[in-house]
Amino acid sequence: MRMGRRAFAASALALPGLLKAGSATAQAAAWPNRPIRLVVPYPPGGASDIAGRLQAEVLQKALGSPVVVDNRGGAGGTVGTAHVAQAAPDGYTIMMASPSSHLGAPLLFRTPGYEGVDDFSHIATFSIGTAIVCVHPALPIRNIQELIAYAKANPGRLNYGSAGAGGANHMLGVLFMLRTGTELTHVPYRGAAPALADLIAGNIQLVFDSFSGIIPAVRAGQVRALGVTNPTRWPLAPEMPTVQEQGVPDFDLPSFAAVMGPAGIPAEIVQRMNAAINEGLRDATLVQRLSANGNIPFPSTPQEFQSLMRAQRDKWRELVRISGVQPE
């Protein structure tokens, strides 16, 4: 049978696409056949590094291939994150991602080298944490409604500390003011630890600090906890009420660790990594290790993860705009 000119032309035009699809399928079938590099865009030793190393352990165990952690800190996480955005989308370069690296940092630097959502493959969420709203115990404030009333009676006189302008605990304060109609004064520090030290000393009155970072001071009676920022009660401190249940609607700015890679990783590889992560999050030993750092498992599909990032991108953009923080 002779092929007509039109049919021949159509098949010729379709051939490159078929070859490309076949190549991607073959690539996915052979993956992984060499070590995978998991970039942590922060120095060794911190909470992000711990999360990245746990991610690497889970993937290595499930995939049977070495997963090597590569710490590439600098410029608020943008150095390592930009490196991953520009890597080949073959599944061999991935990273420990967080709201700080993908939502905050792109808004705080004029040339971060990437767009935090669209330039990446969304592989899997891994763990999630929460923050606690805490005040100095000398203040006559024992719950969120009393905090709101005190702040409204003393506009601008409550100083809240953060780990730095534009970070998550700064944005939580901006979100609190937006949702409650209060006026707080932001005091940025070089890290959460000095902010907490000044709260304990009484030099500032309020923080929105990570559960893992501040819970020892809460339990020692050095600061007073008013509520957790998670929308539901935190499993590691179920006795502590949430900010939302105390009358502040839509008060939530999730703090999570996740796995991302450069945009364009074949869907089959993304699905395999996602399944490996979700399976690992059911391991009791891993759950205990996450709990020791104040976190709980946070499984999702790639589609759910992408939807979360897009929604949070809009919220972060609005909060940074309201805060007045200017890109460096």
Side-chain angles (χ1 to χ4, degrees):
M1 180 182 296
R2 295 181 63 187
M3 181 181 291
R5 290 182 179 180
R6 289 183 180 179
F8 180 80
S11 65
L13 289 171
L15 186 58
L18 292 171
L19 291 174
K20 185 176 181 180
S23 175
T25 301
Q27 175 187 343
W31 181 91
N33 56 19
R34 56 187 171 89
I36 297 167
R37 192 160 49 97
L38 190 148
V39 174
V40 174
Y42 301 102
S48 296
D49 183 53
I50 293 170
R53 292 180 187 279
L54 289 175
Q55 292 170 359
E57 287 182 26
V58 168
L59 287 168
Q60 181 166 296
K61 181 179 179 180
L63 300 173
S65 180
V67 180
V68 181
V69 173
D70 179 7
N71 292 92
R72 287 179 178 253
T78 60
V79 171
T81 306
H83 173 78
V84 173
Q86 296 155 15
D90 54 13
Y92 290 100
T93 301
I94 56 176
M95 71 174 292
M96 193 297 302
S98 68
S100 294
S101 59
H102 284 70
L103 301 174
L107 299 173
L108 301 177
F109 292 86
R110 294 187 187 278
T111 55
Y114 60 93
E115 199 289 318
V117 179
D118 297 334
D119 287 348
F120 294 87
S121 294
H122 297 74
I123 296 169
T125 49
F126 184 72
S127 61
I128 190 167
T130 192
I132 309 179
V133 185
C134 291
V135 297
H136 189 273
L139 286 176
I141 298 172
R142 296 189 175 276
N143 57 55
I144 293 297
Q145 285 302 317
E146 289 182 358
L147 172 62
I148 294 170
Y150 190 95
K152 287 185 175 180
N154 300 275
R157 295 180 61 186
L158 281 178
N159 298 316
Y160 79 97
S162 79
N169 40 18
H170 177 197
M171 292 300 105
L172 279 167
V174 175
L175 181 61
F176 186 82
M177 289 187 280
L178 180 65
R179 296 287 184 261
T180 61
T182 54
E183 180 185 344
L184 309 174
T185 297
H186 175 233
V187 182
Y189 290 80
R190 291 184 177 273
L196 175 57
D198 258 10
L199 177 64
I200 293 171
N203 297 324
I204 57 175
Q205 294 77 47
L206 173 69
V207 295
F208 300 79
D209 203 354
S210 69
F211 180 92
S212 57
I214 205 167
I215 195 64
V218 171
R219 290 174 175 161
Q222 295 173 302
V223 300
R224 178 180 297 139
L226 305 183
V228 295
T229 61
N230 198 59
T232 57
R233 293 212 177 194
W234 196 240
L236 305 181
E239 76 286 354
M240 199 175 293
T242 71
V243 174
Q244 287 200 39
E245 73 182 79
Q246 295 181 75
V248 182
D250 192 26
F251 185 80
D252 180 29
L253 199 65
S255 174
F256 52 86
V259 181
M260 299 179 84
I265 295 177
E268 296 94 331
I269 294 177
V270 169
Q271 289 293 345
R272 285 186 62 189
M273 281 194 277
N274 180 269
I277 290 290
N278 288 341
E279 177 63 28
L281 290 175
R282 289 192 281 269
D283 181 76
T285 300
L286 177 63
V287 173
Q288 290 176 354
R289 293 173 71 183
L290 290 174
S291 297
N293 292 298
N295 300 310
I296 61 174
F298 186 34
S300 69
T301 66
Q303 294 75 24
E304 289 168 340
F305 179 21
Q306 186 177 62
S307 296
L308 170 67
M309 289 294 289
R310 286 176 173 167
Q312 289 300 309
R313 177 175 59 186
D314 293 341
K315 181 176 283 190
W316 274 78
R317 282 174 175 169
E318 179 65 6
L319 293 175
V320 170
R321 184 191 66 79
I322 293 170
S323 75
V325 174
Q326 296 298 313
E328 297 179 2

